[in-house]
Amino acid sequence: MPHQCPHCMTEIHAEASTCPACGAIRGVWGRSVESWRQASTFMLGLAAFFVLAGIVFGTWVASVDDRTTAFDGMIAFLFLSPFMLFAGGVGLFLRYVIPRMQEGWYR
């Protein structure tokens, strides 16, 4: 069953993601759901990078000399934890919340 584009009133297929006449895109907040998934993959990869960087940095701090301890390494790891949490939280929001939002047409 064909639908109409809300911008140019051209008939388009019900599952079309773009209007062939005016170029309007169906999505959430002006972007397609697939582009939000790509952004979430990037953010989750960035969170994983910060976790690995925190482990390496904490291990390095703990082994600098005889005066540093594992506690110092843990503090160094926790120094990067806000970046891990932010990137992971944004990535999970983009992955699981955005696709469930109401889609609209954007030009």
Side-chain angles (χ1 to χ4, degrees):
M1 169 180 245
H3 286 99
Q4 281 189 333
C5 172
H7 297 286
C8 66
M9 300 305 167
T10 303
E11 283 194 11
I12 53 176
H13 191 271
E15 296 183 17
S17 60
T18 58
C19 174
C22 70
I25 298 172
R26 182 173 52 181
V28 178
W29 290 345
R31 294 176 62 183
S32 68
V33 173
E34 184 57 37
S35 67
W36 287 115
R37 279 208 178 95
Q38 291 172 354
S40 74
T41 302
F42 173 77
M43 291 304 288
L44 291 173
L46 188 63
F49 168 77
F50 280 122
V51 168
L52 291 175
I55 291 171
V56 170
F57 183 55
T59 304
W60 176 77
V61 167
S63 65
V64 169
D65 59 20
D66 293 336
R67 293 178 299 174
T68 58
T69 63
F71 180 75
D72 298 325
M74 184 181 70
I75 296 299
F77 174 79
L78 291 176
F79 176 74
L80 291 176
S81 66
F83 302 105
M84 299 171 208
L85 292 172
F86 178 76
V90 169
L92 291 174
F93 177 79
L94 295 177
R95 175 66 53 105
Y96 295 108
V97 176
I98 294 285
R100 288 173 175 74
M101 291 182 157
Q102 181 72 28
E103 285 188 326
W105 286 92
Y106 300 92
R107 227 182 347 176

